[in-house]
Each structure stands twice: as structure tokens, then as C-alpha cells.
């Protein structure tokens, strides 16, 4: 998709990152579609944002949301361990299922330290694996702690391997606005495709161009469902059977679509 065209679906649009993503994408000329639960407060959205109602936990309600889109930005999160499977993982699975293998660009936000084992992290990491298995062009962004940065900490760093596991702001900090900018920029940046990164900011000025930062990253291995250099501590053979079923179901439509189009 070109820099200022196409329709973007924002999942988690009413959240603190999603509202910024929605505004950022609209300011760049994209047509923006915000997915919201029925009854959710959507007053923060501008007049040019299309609001579509649906339930992330039910793929049958997402047809209108994904109809005719060119890209999806996922910024949703359950914020509770008990809901991580249903929302953080299930929401990604259900949107990808509703797409039926149509070739859209994906930007998925998870979290720095996602490979440190915990119930919530494990389901976010499984959501990442679904995106990689779909074979759609994607960028997976693992931001540091939101808005813990000082005003002078604007120099963006993109890391790989997810080695910061302190589970506090010493892992890295980043502003919500810069997270939004990175997610939207990734959609139109060829160097961002099929890459997974941890996103933090350090002392210094914000970059004018993110392309060199994306270009310096290593591409995820096509033979792996994990990010390049990630710790191998969530063995696929030991995963629940329904997770294997979800991965297999997402692979099939994509292969069919590729065969259909030659």
C-alpha cells in the first residue's frame, strides 16, 4: 500500500495507543476504520474515522470490519492474565480468520519482554506466531514502558532478541505517540516487512526517517514461528492442541490464495 492511500482497520482503537494510531493514520491520508465494541465511547475519533462495531472474541461479527481493508494495526490488550487467551490471542486469531487469507498488511503491537514466560506473555507470543504463520506481510512491534520517557528521550532504538526481562521501566521506555508513529509508518515501509522488534527510546532527538532503523533489522526466519534471535523457551511440540489447530487453519487459506493467483 502507498504512503497515503488504503484503508486501515485499527483493532483496539478506543485504547490509549489505538486512539493515537487512529489519529496518526488519518493525518497521513489513510482511510481509517476503528473497530469498537457496541456501546464503546468513540467520541475521541475525528469525523473522517469510520466506526465499525464487532466483538473481537467472535470472528462471525468481524466481517464488516475487515471488508475491503488493506491493512490491520493491532493495539488491543486484555490487561488481565485470565483474559489474555480470549482477547490478546483470540482477537488476532479471529481477525485473521475473518480475512480468509486476503493479502493485507499487518502491524501487531505486543510488549517488550514478551518471551519471558508468564500466562499473559505466552498468549501474546502465540498471537505473534499466528501472524507469522499467516504468511501475510507483517511487522511486530514490542514497545517498552509507555510514556515513562523524559521529554529529552526521543531517540528511537529498535532492538531484537527480546533480552530485557526486568519487567520494569529499566527494560526500556517509549512514548505512546512514538509507538503510534512506528506502527503506522511500518505499513508503508518495505524494509519493515517480516520483522520483529523491541521499541524503546533513549536520550536524543526523534529521528526524521524510520526507514534506516527498519532496514538495519534482521528479517524473521521463514522456517520459524518466532522472532529472529528469540529465546527458544516456548516449544511448539508442547503447545496445546487447539493452538496447533489455529496455526494449521491460518496456513491453509493463505496457500490456497497464493495458488489461485498463480
Amino acid at each position: 500500500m502507498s504512503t497515503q492511500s488504503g484503508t486501515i482497520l485499527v483493532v483496539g482503537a478506543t485504547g490509549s495507543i489505538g486512539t493515537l494510531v487512529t489519529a496518526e493514520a488519518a493525518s497521513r491520508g489513510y482511510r481509517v476504520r476503528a473497530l469498537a465494541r457496541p456501546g464503546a465511547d468513540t467520541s475521541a475519533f475525528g469525523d473522517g474515522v469510520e466506526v465499525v462495531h464487532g466483538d473481537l472474541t467472535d470472528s462471525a461479527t468481524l466481517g464488516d470490519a475487515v471488508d475491503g481493508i488493506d491493512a490491520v494495526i493491532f493495539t488491543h490488550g486484555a490487561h488481565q492474565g485470565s483474559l489474555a487467551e480470549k482477547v490478546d490471542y483470540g482477537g488476532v486469531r479471529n481477525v485473521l480468520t475473518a480475512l480468509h487469507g486476503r493479502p493485507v498488511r499487518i502491524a501487531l503491537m505486543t510488549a517488550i519482554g514478551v518471551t519471558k514466560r508468564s500466562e499473559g506473555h505466552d498468549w501474546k507470543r502465540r498471537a505473534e506466531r499466528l501472524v507469522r504463520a499467516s504468511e501475510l506481510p507483517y511487522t511486530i512491534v514490542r514497545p517498552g514502558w509507555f510514556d515513562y520517557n523524559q521529554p529529552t528521550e526521543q531517540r528511537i532504538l529498535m532492538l531484537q532478541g527480546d533480552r530485557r526481562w526486568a519487567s520494569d521501566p529499566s527494560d526500556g521506555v517509549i512514548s505512546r505517540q512514538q509507538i503510534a508513529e512506528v506502527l503506522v509508518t511500518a505499513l508503508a515501509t518495505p524494509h519493515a516487512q517480516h520483522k520483529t522488534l523491541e521499541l524503546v527510546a533513549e536520550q536524543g532527538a526523534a529521528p526524521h526517517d524510520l526507514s534506516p532503523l527498519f532496514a538495519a533489522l534482521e528479517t524473521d526466519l521463514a522456517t520459524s514461528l518466532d522472532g529472529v534471535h528469540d529465546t527458544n523457551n516456548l516449544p511448539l511440540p508442547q503447545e496445546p492442541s487447539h493452538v496447533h489447530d489455529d496455526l494449521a487453519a491460518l496456513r491453509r487459506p493463505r496457500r490456497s490464495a497464493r495458488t489461485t493467483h498463480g
Side-chain angles (χ1 to χ4, degrees), residues 14 20 26 36-37 55 61 70 76-79 84 101 119 125 145-146 154 164 178 183 210 215 227:
T14 59
L20 293 173
R37 297 185 305 276
D55 182 355
T61 71
D70 300 288
H76 67 300
H79 305 297
E119 181 183 11
R125 189 173 179 184
W145 288 63
F146 303 168
Q154 300 290 327
R164 299 186 178 190
Q178 286 192 310
L183 288 167
L210 295 176

Short mmCIF file of all heavy atoms in Angstrom, two decimals, residues 14 20 26 36-37 55 61 70 76-79 84 101 119 125 145-146 154 164 178 183 210 215 227:
data_model
loop_
_atom_site.label_atom_id
_atom_site.label_comp_id
_atom_site.label_asym_id
_atom_site.label_seq_id
_atom_site.Cartn_x
_atom_site.Cartn_y
_atom_site.Cartn_z
N THR A 14 -10.10 2.14 20.65
CA THR A 14 -10.53 3.01 21.75
C THR A 14 -9.53 3.04 22.91
O THR A 14 -9.75 3.76 23.89
CB THR A 14 -11.91 2.57 22.28
OG1 THR A 14 -11.83 1.22 22.74
CG2 THR A 14 -12.97 2.68 21.20
N LEU A 20 -4.37 7.09 19.36
CA LEU A 20 -3.26 7.81 18.72
C LEU A 20 -2.95 7.24 17.34
O LEU A 20 -2.64 7.99 16.41
CB LEU A 20 -2.02 7.73 19.62
CG LEU A 20 -2.11 8.47 20.96
CD1 LEU A 20 -0.89 8.18 21.81
CD2 LEU A 20 -2.27 9.97 20.74
N ALA A 26 -5.00 8.78 10.11
CA ALA A 26 -5.89 9.72 9.42
C ALA A 26 -5.12 10.96 8.97
O ALA A 26 -5.36 11.48 7.87
CB ALA A 26 -7.05 10.11 10.33
N ALA A 36 -14.81 -1.17 17.29
CA ALA A 36 -15.23 -0.86 18.65
C ALA A 36 -16.34 -1.79 19.08
O ALA A 36 -17.16 -2.22 18.27
CB ALA A 36 -15.70 0.60 18.75
N ARG A 37 -16.37 -2.09 20.36
CA ARG A 37 -17.49 -2.86 20.90
C ARG A 37 -18.75 -2.01 20.90
O ARG A 37 -18.68 -0.78 21.05
CB ARG A 37 -17.19 -3.30 22.34
CG ARG A 37 -16.01 -4.22 22.49
CD ARG A 37 -15.86 -4.68 23.93
NE ARG A 37 -15.79 -3.56 24.86
CZ ARG A 37 -14.68 -2.89 25.15
NH1 ARG A 37 -13.54 -3.24 24.57
NH2 ARG A 37 -14.70 -1.90 26.00
N ASP A 55 -17.20 -7.79 17.86
CA ASP A 55 -16.70 -8.43 19.08
C ASP A 55 -15.45 -9.22 18.73
O ASP A 55 -15.51 -10.20 17.99
CB ASP A 55 -17.78 -9.35 19.65
CG ASP A 55 -17.36 -10.04 20.94
OD1 ASP A 55 -16.19 -9.88 21.34
OD2 ASP A 55 -18.19 -10.73 21.53
N THR A 61 -18.59 -11.82 13.89
CA THR A 61 -19.04 -10.42 13.96
C THR A 61 -18.08 -9.46 13.27
O THR A 61 -18.30 -8.24 13.31
CB THR A 61 -19.19 -9.98 15.43
OG1 THR A 61 -17.89 -9.86 16.04
CG2 THR A 61 -20.04 -10.96 16.22
N ASP A 70 -7.00 -2.76 3.58
CA ASP A 70 -5.67 -3.01 3.04
C ASP A 70 -4.65 -3.35 4.12
O ASP A 70 -3.57 -3.87 3.82
CB ASP A 70 -5.17 -1.76 2.29
CG ASP A 70 -6.09 -1.40 1.13
OD1 ASP A 70 -6.08 -2.12 0.13
OD2 ASP A 70 -6.83 -0.40 1.26
N HIS A 76 -4.70 -3.85 20.66
CA HIS A 76 -5.59 -4.28 21.73
C HIS A 76 -4.81 -5.02 22.81
O HIS A 76 -3.68 -5.45 22.61
CB HIS A 76 -6.67 -5.21 21.18
CG HIS A 76 -6.14 -6.52 20.68
ND1 HIS A 76 -5.20 -6.61 19.66
CD2 HIS A 76 -6.37 -7.80 21.08
CE1 HIS A 76 -4.90 -7.87 19.44
NE2 HIS A 76 -5.59 -8.62 20.30
N GLY A 77 -5.44 -5.19 23.97
CA GLY A 77 -4.85 -5.95 25.05
C GLY A 77 -5.84 -6.12 26.17
O GLY A 77 -6.66 -5.24 26.44
N ALA A 78 -5.78 -7.27 26.84
CA ALA A 78 -6.76 -7.57 27.88
C ALA A 78 -6.39 -6.94 29.22
O ALA A 78 -7.26 -6.66 30.03
CB ALA A 78 -6.88 -9.09 28.07
N HIS A 79 -5.09 -6.73 29.47
CA HIS A 79 -4.59 -6.19 30.73
C HIS A 79 -4.89 -7.10 31.91
O HIS A 79 -4.75 -6.69 33.06
CB HIS A 79 -5.15 -4.79 30.99
CG HIS A 79 -4.90 -3.82 29.88
ND1 HIS A 79 -3.63 -3.44 29.50
CD2 HIS A 79 -5.75 -3.17 29.05
CE1 HIS A 79 -3.71 -2.59 28.50
NE2 HIS A 79 -4.97 -2.41 28.21
N ALA A 84 -6.18 -13.08 28.69
CA ALA A 84 -5.15 -12.99 27.66
C ALA A 84 -5.42 -13.93 26.50
O ALA A 84 -5.25 -13.55 25.33
CB ALA A 84 -3.78 -13.27 28.27
N GLY A 101 -7.61 -15.20 4.37
CA GLY A 101 -6.40 -15.24 3.58
C GLY A 101 -6.20 -14.09 2.63
O GLY A 101 -5.26 -14.12 1.83
N GLU A 119 1.64 -16.26 31.91
CA GLU A 119 0.41 -16.57 31.20
C GLU A 119 0.09 -15.51 30.15
O GLU A 119 -0.19 -15.82 28.99
CB GLU A 119 -0.76 -16.68 32.19
CG GLU A 119 -2.09 -17.03 31.51
CD GLU A 119 -3.26 -17.07 32.48
OE1 GLU A 119 -3.09 -16.64 33.63
OE2 GLU A 119 -4.34 -17.54 32.08
N ARG A 125 2.63 -13.98 22.78
CA ARG A 125 3.63 -14.59 21.90
C ARG A 125 2.96 -15.56 20.92
O ARG A 125 3.37 -15.64 19.75
CB ARG A 125 4.67 -15.31 22.76
CG ARG A 125 5.88 -15.79 21.98
CD ARG A 125 6.90 -16.33 22.93
NE ARG A 125 8.09 -16.82 22.25
CZ ARG A 125 9.10 -17.41 22.89
NH1 ARG A 125 9.08 -17.55 24.21
NH2 ARG A 125 10.14 -17.86 22.20
N TRP A 145 8.02 0.52 28.14
CA TRP A 145 7.02 1.06 29.06
C TRP A 145 6.50 2.40 28.55
O TRP A 145 7.27 3.32 28.27
CB TRP A 145 7.64 1.19 30.45
CG TRP A 145 7.83 -0.15 31.10
CD1 TRP A 145 8.63 -1.15 30.66
CD2 TRP A 145 7.19 -0.61 32.29
NE1 TRP A 145 8.53 -2.25 31.49
CE2 TRP A 145 7.66 -1.95 32.51
CE3 TRP A 145 6.29 -0.07 33.19
CZ2 TRP A 145 7.24 -2.71 33.59
CZ3 TRP A 145 5.87 -0.83 34.26
CH2 TRP A 145 6.34 -2.13 34.45
N PHE A 146 5.18 2.50 28.47
CA PHE A 146 4.52 3.64 27.84
C PHE A 146 4.72 4.93 28.64
O PHE A 146 4.37 5.01 29.83
CB PHE A 146 3.02 3.42 27.71
CG PHE A 146 2.60 2.19 26.96
CD1 PHE A 146 1.28 1.77 27.00
CD2 PHE A 146 3.50 1.46 26.19
CE1 PHE A 146 0.86 0.64 26.32
CE2 PHE A 146 3.09 0.33 25.50
CZ PHE A 146 1.77 -0.08 25.57
N GLN A 154 13.90 10.86 23.08
CA GLN A 154 13.10 10.70 21.87
C GLN A 154 13.82 9.92 20.77
O GLN A 154 13.24 9.65 19.72
CB GLN A 154 12.69 12.07 21.32
CG GLN A 154 11.85 12.90 22.27
CD GLN A 154 10.45 12.35 22.45
OE1 GLN A 154 9.88 11.77 21.52
NE2 GLN A 154 9.90 12.50 23.64
N ARG A 164 15.47 -8.10 27.34
CA ARG A 164 15.23 -7.25 28.50
C ARG A 164 14.03 -7.78 29.27
O ARG A 164 12.88 -7.57 28.87
CB ARG A 164 15.03 -5.80 28.06
CG ARG A 164 16.25 -5.23 27.33
CD ARG A 164 16.10 -3.76 27.02
NE ARG A 164 17.29 -3.21 26.38
CZ ARG A 164 17.49 -1.91 26.17
NH1 ARG A 164 16.57 -1.03 26.55
NH2 ARG A 164 18.59 -1.49 25.58
N GLN A 178 5.08 7.94 19.89
CA GLN A 178 6.09 7.32 19.03
C GLN A 178 5.72 5.89 18.68
O GLN A 178 6.01 5.42 17.58
CB GLN A 178 7.46 7.39 19.68
CG GLN A 178 8.07 8.79 19.63
CD GLN A 178 9.53 8.81 20.01
OE1 GLN A 178 9.93 8.28 21.05
NE2 GLN A 178 10.35 9.45 19.19
N LEU A 183 4.07 2.17 14.32
CA LEU A 183 3.09 1.21 13.80
C LEU A 183 2.54 1.66 12.45
O LEU A 183 2.43 0.85 11.50
CB LEU A 183 1.95 1.03 14.79
CG LEU A 183 2.29 0.26 16.07
CD1 LEU A 183 1.18 0.44 17.10
CD2 LEU A 183 2.51 -1.22 15.79
N LEU A 210 12.34 6.79 9.71
CA LEU A 210 12.45 5.48 10.37
C LEU A 210 12.97 4.39 9.45
O LEU A 210 13.34 3.31 9.92
CB LEU A 210 11.09 5.06 10.93
CG LEU A 210 10.51 5.93 12.04
CD1 LEU A 210 9.11 5.43 12.42
CD2 LEU A 210 11.42 5.92 13.26
N ALA A 215 15.55 -0.88 8.19
CA ALA A 215 16.46 -1.58 7.27
C ALA A 215 17.58 -2.29 8.01
O ALA A 215 18.09 -3.32 7.53
CB ALA A 215 17.04 -0.58 6.27
N GLY A 227 10.33 -14.68 16.57
CA GLY A 227 11.15 -13.59 16.08
C GLY A 227 12.61 -14.00 16.00
O GLY A 227 13.07 -14.87 16.76
#
